[in-house]
Structure formats: C-alpha cells, structure tokens
Amino acid sequence: QVQLVESGGGLVQPGGSLRLSCAASRSIFSISTMGWYRQAPGQQRELVAAFTPGGSTNYAGSVKGRFTISRDNAKNTVVLQMNSLKPEDTAVYYCNAAFIMSRQQLWGQGTQVTVSS
C-alpha cells in the first residue's frame, strides 16, 4: 500500500513563506497526477496545484503566481512552495495522488497551515 506523508506546515505571518513536502512510500509519479488540496473550516476541499505524469502543472487562480508545485522523482517527493501567504490561505493542506488507469485516489493525512499576525 502506498502512503503519502505531508510535512512543513505551521504558523506564518502574512507575506511569509512555507514549503510543504509530500513523500510517497514508493515510486508513483509515472502513473499518477500529484496534487495539493486544501480545506478551510466550513469550506469544501479545493485543488491548489497539480503535477501530471507528463510534467505539466496547474494552479488555482487564487494561488497562481504565489505558489509553485514541483517534484523530485528520485526522492518520490512533491513540494509546494508557498510565498506571499495571505490569511485566506489558512487551511489544512492535503497531498493527493490520482492514479490514471484505476482512477483511485490516495490522500495524505494533512498538514495545518495558519497565516496570521
């Protein structure tokens, strides 16, 4: 069973930066789209950024230009670099793997990001 483990969350002031990491227990990037989602209290879970097996990326309009998703194939790690953070970025951030053939999805347990003065 593949596992996804997130790290890097925490408390940061508005305008600050955080880097979230998602480590997969084995190589899956060739067969899955990797994504970062977030869910704030009372809100639906939303896609923040995605990285396809072919290497293309997509971003939510609210984070475009501020967040960057990348991956390290050798380390089975996906990173979300978050800059110019705003209070509205506060949420639990989840790593997701969407497998292309089976259409199954895996989720990490989430990491809390709080942007506050």
Side-chain angles (χ1 to χ4, degrees), residues 3-5 22-29 34 71-78:
Q3 292 180 305
L4 303 176
V5 180
C22 173
S25 58
R26 62 179 176 87
S27 179
I28 59 171
F29 298 159
M34 303 302 300
R71 72 183 188 192
D72 186 329
N73 294 328
K75 297 181 179 179
N76 297 324
T77 300
V78 176

Coordinates of all heavy atoms in Angstrom, one line a residue, residues 3-5 22-29 34 71-78:
Q3 N 1.8 5.1 0.7 CA 1.4 6.0 1.7 C 2.0 7.4 1.3 O 3.0 7.5 0.8 CB 1.9 5.6 3.1 CG 1.3 4.4 3.7 CD 1.8 4.1 5.1 OE1 3.0 3.9 5.2 NE2 1.0 4.0 6.1
L4 N 1.2 8.4 1.7 CA 1.6 9.8 1.4 C 1.8 10.5 2.8 O 0.8 10.5 3.6 CB 0.6 10.6 0.6 CG 0.3 10.0 -0.8 CD1 -0.7 10.8 -1.5 CD2 1.6 9.9 -1.7
V5 N 2.9 11.1 3.0 CA 3.1 11.8 4.3 C 3.5 13.3 4.0 O 4.5 13.5 3.4 CB 4.2 11.1 5.1 CG1 4.4 11.9 6.4 CG2 3.9 9.7 5.4
C22 N 5.5 16.4 0.3 CA 4.7 15.2 0.3 C 5.6 14.0 -0.1 O 6.1 14.0 -1.3 CB 3.5 15.3 -0.6 SG 2.6 13.8 -0.9
A23 N 5.9 13.1 0.8 CA 6.7 12.0 0.5 C 5.9 10.7 0.2 O 5.1 10.3 1.1 CB 7.7 11.7 1.6
A24 N 6.1 10.1 -0.9 CA 5.4 8.8 -1.2 C 6.3 7.7 -0.8 O 7.5 7.7 -1.0 CB 5.1 8.7 -2.7
S25 N 5.7 6.6 -0.3 CA 6.4 5.5 0.2 C 7.1 4.6 -1.0 O 8.0 3.9 -0.7 CB 5.6 4.5 1.0 OG 4.4 4.1 0.3
R26 N 6.6 4.8 -2.2 CA 7.3 4.2 -3.3 C 7.0 5.0 -4.6 O 6.2 6.0 -4.5 CB 6.9 2.8 -3.5 CG 5.4 2.6 -3.8 CD 5.1 1.1 -4.0 NE 3.7 0.8 -4.2 CZ 3.1 0.8 -5.4 NH1 3.7 1.2 -6.5 NH2 1.8 0.5 -5.5
S27 N 7.7 4.7 -5.7 CA 7.5 5.5 -6.9 C 6.1 5.4 -7.5 O 5.7 4.3 -7.8 CB 8.6 5.0 -7.9 OG 8.5 5.8 -9.1
I28 N 5.5 6.5 -7.7 CA 4.1 6.5 -8.3 C 3.9 7.6 -9.3 O 2.9 7.7 -9.9 CB 3.0 6.6 -7.2 CG1 3.2 7.9 -6.4 CG2 3.0 5.4 -6.3 CD1 2.1 8.3 -5.4
F29 N 4.9 8.5 -9.4 CA 4.7 9.7 -10.2 C 4.5 9.4 -11.7 O 3.9 10.2 -12.4 CB 5.9 10.6 -10.1 CG 6.1 11.2 -8.7 CD1 7.3 11.7 -8.2 CD2 5.0 11.1 -7.8 CE1 7.5 12.1 -7.0 CE2 5.2 11.6 -6.5 CZ 6.4 12.1 -6.1
M34 N -0.1 14.1 -9.2 CA 0.0 14.6 -7.9 C -0.6 15.9 -7.7 O -0.5 16.8 -8.5 CB 1.5 14.6 -7.5 CG 2.2 13.3 -7.7 SD 1.5 11.9 -6.8 CE 1.7 12.5 -5.1
R71 N 8.4 18.4 -8.2 CA 8.6 17.1 -7.8 C 10.0 16.6 -8.0 O 10.7 17.1 -8.9 CB 7.6 16.1 -8.5 CG 7.9 15.8 -9.9 CD 6.9 14.9 -10.6 NE 7.3 14.5 -11.9 CZ 6.5 13.9 -12.8 NH1 5.2 13.7 -12.4 NH2 6.9 13.6 -14.0
D72 N 10.4 15.8 -7.1 CA 11.7 15.1 -7.2 C 11.5 13.6 -7.4 O 11.1 12.9 -6.4 CB 12.5 15.4 -5.9 CG 14.0 14.9 -6.0 OD1 14.2 13.9 -6.7 OD2 14.8 15.5 -5.3
N73 N 11.7 13.2 -8.6 CA 11.4 11.8 -8.9 C 12.2 10.8 -8.2 O 11.8 9.7 -7.7 CB 11.5 11.5 -10.4 CG 10.5 12.3 -11.2 OD1 9.4 12.6 -10.8 ND2 10.9 12.7 -12.5
A74 N 13.5 11.2 -8.0 CA 14.4 10.3 -7.3 C 14.0 10.1 -5.8 O 14.2 9.0 -5.3 CB 15.8 10.8 -7.4
K75 N 13.5 11.1 -5.2 CA 13.1 11.1 -3.8 C 11.6 10.8 -3.6 O 11.2 10.7 -2.4 CB 13.5 12.4 -3.1 CG 15.0 12.6 -3.1 CD 15.3 13.9 -2.4 CE 16.8 14.2 -2.4 NZ 17.2 15.5 -1.7
N76 N 10.9 10.6 -4.7 CA 9.4 10.4 -4.5 C 8.8 11.5 -3.7 O 7.9 11.2 -2.9 CB 9.2 9.0 -4.0 CG 9.7 7.9 -4.8 OD1 9.6 8.0 -6.1 ND2 10.1 6.8 -4.2
T77 N 9.1 12.7 -4.0 CA 8.6 13.8 -3.1 C 8.1 14.9 -4.0 O 8.6 15.2 -5.1 CB 9.8 14.4 -2.3 OG1 10.3 13.4 -1.4 CG2 9.3 15.6 -1.5
V78 N 6.9 15.4 -3.6 CA 6.3 16.6 -4.3 C 6.3 17.7 -3.3 O 6.0 17.6 -2.1 CB 4.9 16.3 -4.7 CG1 4.2 17.5 -5.3 CG2 4.8 15.1 -5.7

